[in-house]
Amino acid sequence: MPIDYNRLKSTAFEPLRHAYGPDDCILYALGVGAGLSDDLTLGDEVEYLYEEKLKALPPMVSVIAYPGFWMRDEVHGIDWRRVVNGEQRMTMFRPLPVSGQIVSRSCVARITDKGERGGAIVVTERSLFDEVTDQLVARVDQVNVCRGDGGYSAGEPTKSDDALPPIPRPPKRRPDDTLVLPVSKNQAAIYRLTGDRNPLHIDPESAKLTGLSAPILHGASMAGLASRAVMKTPPSPDAFVCQIDIRFTGMAYPGRAVAVERWLSLGETNFRCLEADTGRELAFGLAAWKSDKPVGK
């Protein structure tokens, strides 16, 4: 059955509570490829893998109190086998601690009909709050491309929302540098343990049913990989990544290295991810930094 715009837009998400700790941070870091570089391109990254020195990677907010692959429920009318992650937009209001108690509140913020060939774009907005202080920790906009559901509005413009403003492409000049990061063959299998159980990322038969040659890497895992490259060069010792917006433009596959091109500027880093051996574009995006130093210090 086609998407029912009003029903999907009013989807009720229960608040989700998630207590996480160092083991969760380490599992997430492994799922985005931390510690794989033989040539130590990013150093040993022990700060993401060893509990005594641990730091949480900022895009881990994408998996904390995550509602899971909710589109698989047939009540939503979505052809879930053909859903892919189109974009991830994450805003962090403070550095993410290595343990905490989080409550998330989610809603379907936008549904945009791009026609039968373009699919339907569904944006799920999730706000993360510290359960103890009720302070806003982060906001995550997940942009899913429902490739089998375009044309649902049948010419009724009120059933199609405006799309989000586009994520800017990198500058046309040469990148300041390029970092080549390995991707393990089991990276998607590890990343699934953080909560995203879409079978496209593990089951060859499910992948073939959607026209893919093999299971693909999670877009959100690619976002974490890109963030590791971005964080290699902070603009100042007290800066933290406060925003990561990434658009996925190609399918990435486990076991194929990714080249991350970087354009560095004060307070921002533009980046682009390419399949290292072919140069095929996989994603591009923008990361922003903010000082964690108290005002007046």
Side-chain angles (χ1 to χ4, degrees):
M1 62 178 178
I3 285 178
D4 182 325
Y5 170 87
N6 293 319
R7 183 168 186 170
L8 184 58
K9 195 76 177 286
S10 62
T11 299
F13 294 88
E14 293 293 329
L16 290 179
R17 289 171 170 77
H18 185 169
Y20 73 94
D23 285 358
D24 302 286
C25 296
I26 294 169
L27 177 63
Y28 176 80
L30 291 171
V32 300
L36 287 177
S37 298
D38 292 332
D39 60 358
L40 301 183
T41 301
L42 299 183
D44 56 25
E45 297 188 290
V46 68
E47 68 270 27
Y48 305 130
L49 302 171
Y50 178 40
E51 61 275 10
E52 295 298 327
K53 302 179 179 181
L54 198 60
K55 296 179 182 178
L57 282 162
M60 184 178 163
V61 298
S62 65
V63 302
I64 295 176
Y66 171 61
F69 191 34
W70 60 271
M71 291 184 174
R72 192 167 183 170
D73 191 330
E74 63 181 18
V75 72
H76 301 298
I78 294 172
D79 183 358
W80 60 269
R81 291 187 184 276
R82 300 186 64 191
V83 172
V84 295
N85 194 349
E87 295 177 2
Q88 200 89 20
R89 304 187 185 210
M90 296 165 279
T91 302
M92 286 65 69
F93 297 99
R94 55 187 53 81
L96 185 68
V98 298
S99 62
Q101 300 177 65
I102 299 295
V103 177
S104 73
R105 301 182 178 95
S106 301
C107 68
V108 175
R110 299 172 189 250
I111 309 170
T112 305
D113 192 349
K114 304 294 286 186
E116 290 187 12
R117 295 184 64 182
I121 311 299
V122 179
V123 181
T124 308
E125 181 182 289
R126 178 160 46 97
S127 298
L128 278 61
F129 297 86
D130 185 296
E131 187 172 19
V132 177
T133 66
D134 203 36
Q135 287 186 315
L136 184 61
V137 174
R139 186 180 67 248
V140 180
D141 289 336
Q142 181 162 329
V143 182
N144 285 111
V145 182
C146 303
R147 295 180 297 160
D149 298 290
Y152 73 85
S153 65
E156 298 183 59
T158 59
K159 292 185 177 181
S160 181
D161 302 316
D162 292 338
L164 287 168
I167 296 172
R169 277 196 164 273
K172 293 184 178 180
R173 64 178 176 84
R174 281 180 169 272
D176 293 306
D177 61 19
T178 301
L179 307 177
V180 178
L181 305 184
V183 175
S184 68
K185 287 187 176 181
N186 65 352
Q187 187 165 319
I190 295 172
Y191 190 84
R192 291 185 79 246
L193 299 178
T194 65
D196 189 335
R197 298 302 179 97
N198 188 330
L200 284 180
H201 305 296
I202 193 68
D203 179 36
E205 290 303 317
S206 293
K208 288 177 182 178
L209 285 172
T210 63
L212 298 171
S213 60
I216 58 176
L217 188 67
H218 300 73
S221 181
M222 175 66 68
L225 180 149
S227 75
R228 291 167 43 231
V230 166
M231 293 173 66
K232 178 179 173 64
T233 313
S236 66
D238 61 318
F240 73 97
V241 173
C242 64
Q243 178 184 345
I244 300 174
D245 292 346
I246 182 169
R247 181 177 181 182
F248 309 109
T249 55
M251 304 296 184
Y253 292 90
R256 299 186 188 178
V258 172
V260 182
E261 298 177 330
R262 304 191 307 166
W263 290 260
L264 309 176
S265 60
L266 185 62
E268 291 185 345
T269 302
N270 293 89
F271 60 89
R272 179 166 57 192
C273 301
L274 310 171
E275 193 171 64
D277 58 351
T278 66
R280 183 171 58 87
E281 186 181 86
L282 303 174
F284 65 86
L286 175 69
W289 298 83
K290 185 177 181 180
S291 174
D292 190 34
K293 188 175 182 179
V295 177
K297 297 291 186 181

